[in-house]
Amino acid sequence: MQREINYDFYIENLQEMAQLFQQINWDASEKDFLDKLLKIAIKIIPEAECGSIWLIKGALYKAIVGEGYDQELLSKMEVPLSEAFVNKYMKSDILEVKNIMDYNTPETELHKISRTMHKNNKNMVTLIATLKYGDNVAGHIYIDSFHVDSFDEGSKKMLEMFSNLASTFLTLKFLRDSERESTELNTNYLSFISHELRTPLTAIIGFAETILANKDLPKKEIINIVKKILLSAKHMNSLIEDISTFNKLNRETTLHLEKVNLKRIIYEVLSILEVSASPEVEIVFNYPADIPTEIETDSTKLKQVFMNIIENAIKYTNKGYVRIDVNYENNTKHFIVTIQDTGPGIPKENLKDIFRPFLRLSKDKPGSGLGLAIVKKNIDILKGDIEVESELSVGTTFRIKIPAFLSTLVN
C-alpha cells in the first residue's frame, strides 16, 4: 500500500536542501565535497538510514564516502566497472532495488564485505540515483533503508531532484578545479621556459664564447669545455623531450592495445636502468609464479610509467635497495605493482603535489619536473590508479594499479 505523501514536508525539505547546498565548501577535497552531498541526501529522504556515494575511477567502481557504515570496510568496496551492478542493471537515472547484495556472486570479496557492512540485514531496500559530470556518468548515490518495503514516490522524486542539483554542483566543482589547474599549469609552463630551459642554453653560450675568445686554449682544455657544452645540450634536449611528451599526452586519445607479458616489460626497463644504480643499491624484482603474466594494455605508455618511477627510485637512492613487487587482485582483475626505495623520502606536505607538472622537489638533480606528471597522465589514460607513501630518511613507495584487460573498458 502506497504511503500518503506529505507535500508540506517535501516543500520544507526542498527549502532546506537549497540552504544546505549554499553551505558547500568549493575548496574542499573531492571526498569532503561528496561527504557533504551525501549528508544532505540522507537528511532529506525520510526513509534513509544509511548511504554511500560511488564514483567511476578509471577501470574501477569505488565507494568514496559513506554515512552510517564502517569506514574501514567501505574503503574496501570496489569492483571492476564492467562488473558493477549499475553497469548491468541501471537503465534510468533513478532505480529502486531490493537486497542489492544478492546481485553479487556469493564467493566474491565484495559480497562478503557487503554482508558484514550491512550487518546481514535481510530486508534492505536501496534507492540509486545517477551523478553526472556534464553529460557523462561520474558515479551514483545509494540511499539504504532496512525497515520499509519500498521508498515512496515523493522520496524518489526528492532524490531525483537532489541528484540533478548535485550533478550540477559536481560539474561546476570539476570545471572550477580544472580551470585552476590549467591556470597554474600555464604559469608554471612560462616559468619553466624562462628559467629551466635558459640555464643550459646560457651555459652553452658561455662555454662557446670562452672558446671563441681564447683561440690559443690548449686542446685538452677545449675538449673539456666541449664536453660541458655537450652535457648542457643533452640536458636541454631532455627537457624539450619531456615537454613534448607531456603536451602529446594532453592531446592524445588513441590507445594502441595489445596483449603483452608484464613480467618481460619490467625486466626490459630494469635492464636499461640498473646500470646507473649505485654499487651500494640492490635491485630486487619479485614476480610470483602463481599470478598471470599477460596484460592487455598500451605497452608503450605502461613502459613509460615504469621507466620514470624506477629511474627516479634509482637516481635518488644511494644505498639500500630498490624493490619492485607485482601482485594480482582477482576480485578487481587488476595488477598491483609496488616500487619501493630506501632513498631520502619526500616531505609529507609535498606528497599531495608530486604529480603536478614542473614540480621539482630536489634542485640538485637534473630534470624537468615533468616525469611524475607524465606518469599520472599515462596512468589515467590506462584507466589505472597510483598512490604514494613516503617518510623522510626512510624511503618512498609507489603503488600502481593497472587493469589486466583494458579493451573491455575503452571499446
Side-chain angles (χ1 to χ4, degrees):
M1 181 177 175
Q2 185 65 44
R3 294 181 292 278
E4 184 179 346
I5 299 175
N6 183 339
Y7 289 103
D8 288 339
F9 176 82
Y10 288 107
I11 290 171
E12 290 173 7
N13 265 347
L14 280 170
Q15 292 172 339
E16 184 176 12
M17 181 168 66
Q19 291 171 357
L20 289 170
F21 268 114
Q22 291 175 7
Q23 298 171 18
I24 285 179
N25 178 10
W26 289 96
D27 293 321
S29 66
E30 178 187 76
K31 188 172 182 178
D32 290 339
F33 185 85
L34 294 174
D35 185 60
K36 180 68 174 178
L37 290 182
L38 180 61
K39 282 181 168 64
I40 295 172
I42 289 179
K43 189 173 179 64
I44 64 173
I45 304 296
E47 302 93 336
E49 295 180 57
C50 301
S52 57
I53 290 181
W54 293 56
L55 292 186
I56 297 168
K57 295 288 188 179
L60 292 175
Y61 189 59
K62 302 177 67 171
I64 307 300
V65 294
E67 187 72 15
Y69 288 124
D70 183 293
Q71 296 301 307
E72 185 176 346
L73 286 174
L74 192 80
S75 67
K76 299 175 183 177
M77 300 285 279
E78 61 179 17
V79 292
L81 178 59
S82 58
E83 296 180 8
F85 172 87
V86 290
N87 191 58
K88 298 176 181 179
Y89 303 104
M90 194 85 179
K91 306 302 180 187
S92 59
D93 285 343
I94 191 157
L95 176 70
E96 181 181 81
V97 58
K98 292 186 178 180
N99 296 321
I100 194 171
M101 291 174 290
D102 293 342
Y103 291 85
N104 300 324
T105 308
E107 62 270 14
T108 63
E109 191 67 21
L110 179 64
H111 186 87
K112 296 171 187 173
I113 295 172
S114 296
R115 284 291 177 199
T116 303
M117 194 169 74
H118 297 121
K119 299 179 175 61
N120 293 312
N121 281 289
K122 301 190 183 305
N123 192 36
M124 179 179 174
V125 183
T126 302
L127 200 57
I128 310 172
T130 303
L131 292 173
K132 293 184 177 180
Y133 167 41
D135 295 327
N136 301 313
V137 175
H140 299 84
I141 182 167
Y142 293 75
I143 302 297
D144 300 321
S145 182
F146 304 104
H147 298 94
V148 298
D149 293 326
S150 67
F151 290 83
D152 68 37
E153 291 305 313
S155 294
K156 293 175 185 177
K157 289 292 183 186
M158 184 68 69
L159 186 61
E160 190 171 17
M161 284 187 285
F162 169 83
S163 67
N164 288 333
L165 276 172
S167 294
T168 301
F169 272 65
L170 200 59
T171 300
L172 289 172
K173 178 167 173 57
F174 284 171
L175 289 172
R176 184 175 183 269
D177 291 347
S178 296
E179 178 65 27
R180 179 182 294 169
E181 289 175 8
S182 179
T183 301
E184 184 179 288
L185 177 60
N186 288 335
T187 301
N188 290 339
Y189 187 87
L190 290 173
S191 175
F192 178 83
I193 295 294
S194 61
H195 293 95
E196 297 300 328
L197 281 180
R198 182 176 292 175
T199 300
L201 182 59
T202 300
I204 291 169
I205 293 171
F207 290 136
E209 287 177 342
T210 299
I211 293 174
L212 291 173
N214 300 274
K215 295 182 179 180
D216 296 328
L217 280 174
K219 183 179 179 181
K220 185 177 180 180
E221 194 169 337
I222 291 175
I223 291 173
N224 286 334
I225 294 175
V226 170
K227 285 180 180 179
K228 291 177 182 178
I229 291 175
L230 181 60
L231 286 173
S232 295
K234 284 183 175 179
H235 176 48
M236 189 171 181
N237 187 59
S238 174
L239 297 176
I240 292 170
E241 281 185 2
D242 280 352
I243 293 175
S244 176
T245 300
F246 184 72
N247 287 338
K248 184 180 177 184
L249 287 173
N250 282 330
R251 299 190 307 269
E252 198 170 46
T253 57
T254 304
L255 282 167
H256 303 284
L257 298 182
E258 58 182 331
K259 291 180 179 179
V260 292
N261 187 302
L262 178 61
K263 188 175 183 179
R264 185 175 298 124
I265 284 178
I266 298 175
Y267 263 130
E268 289 173 357
V269 170
L270 288 175
S271 67
I272 295 170
L273 297 176
E274 63 183 356
V275 294
S276 61
S278 164
E280 296 183 46
V281 173
E282 182 183 10
I283 309 293
V284 182
F285 179 36
N286 176 40
Y287 200 112
D290 60 346
I291 69 170
T293 56
E294 187 175 85
I295 181 172
E296 186 181 45
T297 190
D298 187 316
S299 61
T300 301
K301 289 180 172 55
L302 186 57
K303 189 178 290 187
Q304 200 170 48
V305 167
F306 294 140
M307 283 289 289
N308 274 289
I309 295 182
I310 296 174
E311 183 178 28
N312 273 353
I314 289 174
K315 180 166 66 175
Y316 289 99
T317 304
N318 296 320
K319 60 181 179 179
Y321 62 83
V322 171
R323 181 183 177 93
I324 300 95
D325 291 284
V326 183
N327 286 290
Y328 186 75
E329 285 186 348
N330 282 303
N331 60 314
T332 64
K333 296 180 176 60
H334 275 63
F335 285 98
I336 312 296
V337 182
T338 304
I339 300 164
Q340 183 181 23
D341 66 55
T342 53
I346 303 167
K348 280 186 168 51
E349 63 270 20
N350 291 333
L351 282 177
K352 68 182 187 305
D353 297 321
I354 63 168
F355 297 112
R356 284 170 46 201
F358 304 109
L359 178 71
R360 289 181 61 202
L361 298 178
S362 176
K363 303 299 183 183
D364 61 341
K365 299 283 185 180
S368 63
L370 283 171
L372 290 179
I374 290 170
V375 164
K376 185 65 170 66
K377 283 282 183 184
N378 276 322
I379 290 287
D380 289 345
I381 292 169
L382 297 176
K383 305 293 184 183
D385 190 31
I386 184 167
E387 298 175 350
V388 59
E389 297 174 0
S390 191
E391 186 176 342
L392 286 175
S393 303
V394 175
T396 301
T397 300
F398 284 90
R399 193 167 290 105
I400 303 165
K401 199 166 188 174
I402 294 289
F405 308 104
L406 190 53
S407 64
T408 61
L409 305 163
V410 297
N411 289 339

Coordinates of all heavy atoms in Angstrom, one line a residue, residues 35 38-39 42-43 48-53 65-74 113-121 124 142-146:
D35 N 31.1 13.9 0.7 CA 30.6 13.6 2.1 C 29.4 14.6 2.4 O 28.4 14.2 3.0 CB 31.7 13.7 3.1 CG 31.2 13.3 4.5 OD1 30.8 12.1 4.6 OD2 31.3 14.1 5.4
L38 N 26.3 13.7 0.4 CA 25.7 12.5 0.9 C 24.8 12.9 2.2 O 23.7 12.4 2.4 CB 26.7 11.5 1.3 CG 26.1 10.1 1.8 CD1 25.2 9.5 0.8 CD2 27.3 9.2 2.1
K39 N 25.4 13.7 3.1 CA 24.7 14.1 4.3 C 23.4 14.8 4.0 O 22.4 14.6 4.6 CB 25.6 14.9 5.2 CG 26.7 14.1 5.9 CD 27.5 15.1 6.8 CE 28.4 14.3 7.8 NZ 29.4 13.4 7.2
I42 N 20.8 12.2 2.7 CA 20.2 11.4 3.7 C 19.3 12.2 4.6 O 18.2 11.7 5.1 CB 21.3 10.7 4.6 CG1 22.0 9.6 3.7 CG2 20.8 10.1 5.9 CD1 23.2 9.0 4.4
K43 N 19.6 13.4 4.8 CA 18.7 14.3 5.6 C 17.4 14.6 5.0 O 16.4 14.7 5.7 CB 19.5 15.6 5.9 CG 18.8 16.5 6.9 CD 19.7 17.8 7.2 CE 19.0 18.7 8.2 NZ 18.9 18.1 9.5
A48 N 15.6 7.2 4.7 CA 17.1 6.9 4.7 C 17.6 6.6 6.0 O 17.3 7.2 7.0 CB 17.8 8.1 4.1
E49 N 18.4 5.5 6.1 CA 19.1 5.1 7.3 C 20.6 5.1 7.1 O 21.4 5.5 8.0 CB 18.7 3.7 7.7 CG 17.2 3.6 8.1 CD 16.8 2.2 8.6 OE1 17.4 1.7 9.5 OE2 15.9 1.7 7.9
C50 N 21.1 4.7 5.9 CA 22.5 4.7 5.6 C 22.6 5.1 4.1 O 21.6 5.2 3.4 CB 23.1 3.4 5.8 SG 23.0 2.7 7.5
G51 N 23.8 5.4 3.7 CA 24.1 5.7 2.3 C 25.5 5.7 1.9 O 26.4 5.7 2.8
S52 N 25.8 5.8 0.6 CA 27.2 5.9 0.1 C 27.2 6.5 -1.2 O 26.1 6.6 -1.9 CB 27.8 4.5 0.0 OG 27.0 3.6 -0.8
I53 N 28.3 7.1 -1.6 CA 28.5 7.6 -3.0 C 29.7 6.8 -3.6 O 30.7 6.7 -3.0 CB 28.8 9.1 -3.0 CG1 27.5 9.9 -2.6 CG2 29.3 9.6 -4.4 CD1 27.7 11.4 -2.6
V65 N 32.6 7.7 -0.2 CA 32.2 8.2 1.1 C 30.9 7.4 1.5 O 30.2 6.8 0.7 CB 31.8 9.7 1.2 CG1 33.1 10.5 1.0 CG2 30.7 10.0 0.2
G66 N 30.7 7.3 2.8 CA 29.5 6.6 3.4 C 29.0 7.2 4.6 O 29.8 7.8 5.4
E67 N 27.8 7.0 4.9 CA 27.2 7.5 6.1 C 26.4 6.4 6.8 O 25.6 5.7 6.2 CB 26.2 8.7 5.8 CG 25.6 9.4 7.0 CD 26.6 10.3 7.7 OE1 27.7 10.6 7.1 OE2 26.3 10.7 8.8
G68 N 26.8 6.1 8.1 CA 26.2 5.0 8.8 C 26.8 3.7 8.6 O 26.3 2.7 9.0
Y69 N 28.0 3.7 8.0 CA 28.7 2.5 7.7 C 30.1 2.5 8.3 O 30.7 3.6 8.4 CB 28.8 2.2 6.2 CG 27.5 1.7 5.6 CD1 26.9 2.4 4.5 CD2 26.8 0.7 6.1 CE1 25.7 2.1 4.0 CE2 25.6 0.3 5.6 CZ 25.0 1.0 4.5 OH 23.8 0.6 4.0
D70 N 30.7 1.3 8.5 CA 32.1 1.2 8.9 C 33.0 1.7 7.8 O 33.0 1.2 6.7 CB 32.4 -0.2 9.3 CG 33.8 -0.4 9.8 OD1 34.8 -0.2 9.0 OD2 34.0 -0.8 11.0
Q71 N 33.8 2.8 8.1 CA 34.6 3.4 7.1 C 35.7 2.5 6.6 O 36.1 2.6 5.4 CB 35.2 4.8 7.6 CG 34.1 5.8 8.0 CD 33.2 6.1 6.8 OE1 33.7 6.5 5.7 NE2 31.9 6.0 6.9
E72 N 36.3 1.7 7.4 CA 37.3 0.8 7.0 C 36.8 -0.2 6.0 O 37.5 -0.5 5.0 CB 38.0 0.1 8.2 CG 39.2 -0.7 7.9 CD 39.9 -1.3 9.1 OE1 39.6 -0.9 10.2 OE2 40.7 -2.2 8.9
L73 N 35.6 -0.8 6.3 CA 35.0 -1.7 5.4 C 34.7 -1.0 4.1 O 34.9 -1.6 3.0 CB 33.8 -2.3 6.0 CG 34.0 -3.4 7.1 CD1 32.7 -3.8 7.7 CD2 34.8 -4.6 6.5
L74 N 34.1 0.2 4.2 CA 33.7 0.9 3.0 C 34.9 1.2 2.0 O 34.7 1.1 0.8 CB 33.1 2.3 3.4 CG 32.3 3.0 2.3 CD1 30.9 2.4 2.1 CD2 32.2 4.5 2.6
I113 N 32.2 -8.6 2.1 CA 32.3 -7.3 2.8 C 30.9 -6.6 3.0 O 30.5 -6.1 4.0 CB 33.2 -6.3 2.0 CG1 34.6 -6.9 2.0 CG2 33.2 -4.9 2.6 CD1 35.6 -6.1 1.1
S114 N 30.0 -6.7 1.9 CA 28.7 -6.2 1.9 C 27.9 -6.8 3.1 O 27.2 -6.1 3.8 CB 28.0 -6.4 0.6 OG 28.6 -5.7 -0.4
R115 N 28.0 -8.1 3.2 CA 27.2 -8.8 4.2 C 27.6 -8.3 5.6 O 26.8 -8.0 6.5 CB 27.4 -10.3 4.2 CG 26.7 -11.0 3.0 CD 25.2 -11.0 3.3 NE 24.4 -11.6 2.2 CZ 23.2 -11.4 2.0 NH1 22.5 -10.6 2.8 NH2 22.5 -12.0 1.0
T116 N 28.9 -8.1 5.8 CA 29.4 -7.7 7.1 C 29.0 -6.2 7.3 O 28.5 -5.8 8.4 CB 31.0 -7.8 7.2 OG1 31.3 -9.1 6.9 CG2 31.5 -7.3 8.5
M117 N 29.2 -5.4 6.3 CA 28.9 -4.0 6.4 C 27.4 -3.7 6.7 O 27.0 -2.8 7.5 CB 29.3 -3.2 5.2 CG 29.4 -1.7 5.4 SD 30.3 -0.9 4.0 CE 29.0 -1.0 2.7
H118 N 26.5 -4.5 6.0 CA 25.1 -4.3 6.2 C 24.5 -5.1 7.3 O 23.3 -5.2 7.4 CB 24.4 -4.6 4.9 CG 24.8 -3.7 3.7 ND1 25.3 -4.1 2.6 CD2 24.7 -2.3 3.6 CE1 25.6 -3.1 1.8 NE2 25.2 -2.0 2.4
K119 N 25.4 -5.7 8.1 CA 25.0 -6.5 9.3 C 24.0 -7.6 9.0 O 23.1 -7.9 9.7 CB 24.5 -5.5 10.4 CG 25.5 -4.5 10.8 CD 24.9 -3.6 11.9 CE 26.0 -2.6 12.4 NZ 26.6 -1.8 11.4
N120 N 24.1 -8.1 7.8 CA 23.3 -9.2 7.3 C 21.8 -8.9 7.4 O 20.9 -9.8 7.5 CB 23.5 -10.5 8.2 CG 24.9 -11.1 7.9 OD1 25.3 -11.2 6.8 ND2 25.7 -11.3 9.0
N121 N 21.4 -7.6 7.2 CA 20.0 -7.3 7.1 C 19.4 -8.0 5.9 O 19.9 -8.0 4.8 CB 19.9 -5.8 7.0 CG 20.0 -5.0 8.3 OD1 19.2 -5.1 9.2 ND2 21.1 -4.4 8.5
M124 N 16.7 -5.2 3.1 CA 17.4 -4.0 2.6 C 16.8 -3.5 1.3 O 16.6 -4.2 0.4 CB 18.9 -4.2 2.4 CG 19.7 -3.0 2.0 SD 21.4 -3.5 1.8 CE 22.1 -2.0 1.1
Y142 N 23.8 6.1 -3.3 CA 23.0 5.0 -2.8 C 22.4 5.4 -1.5 O 23.1 5.7 -0.5 CB 23.8 3.7 -2.6 CG 24.4 3.1 -3.9 CD1 25.4 3.7 -4.6 CD2 23.9 2.0 -4.4 CE1 26.0 3.2 -5.7 CE2 24.4 1.4 -5.6 CZ 25.4 2.0 -6.3 OH 25.9 1.5 -7.4
I143 N 21.0 5.3 -1.4 CA 20.3 5.5 -0.1 C 19.7 4.2 0.3 O 18.9 3.6 -0.4 CB 19.2 6.6 -0.3 CG1 19.9 7.9 -0.8 CG2 18.5 6.8 1.0 CD1 20.9 8.5 0.1
D144 N 20.1 3.7 1.5 CA 19.6 2.4 2.0 C 18.7 2.6 3.2 O 18.8 3.5 4.0 CB 20.8 1.6 2.5 CG 21.9 1.4 1.4 OD1 21.4 1.2 0.2 OD2 23.1 1.5 1.7
S145 N 17.7 1.7 3.2 CA 16.7 1.6 4.3 C 16.5 0.1 4.6 O 16.5 -0.8 3.7 CB 15.4 2.2 3.9 OG 14.5 2.2 5.0
F146 N 16.4 -0.2 5.9 CA 16.2 -1.6 6.3 C 14.9 -1.9 7.0 O 14.6 -3.0 7.5 CB 17.3 -1.9 7.4 CG 18.7 -1.7 6.8 CD1 19.4 -0.6 7.3 CD2 19.3 -2.5 5.9 CE1 20.7 -0.3 6.8 CE2 20.6 -2.3 5.4 CZ 21.3 -1.2 5.8

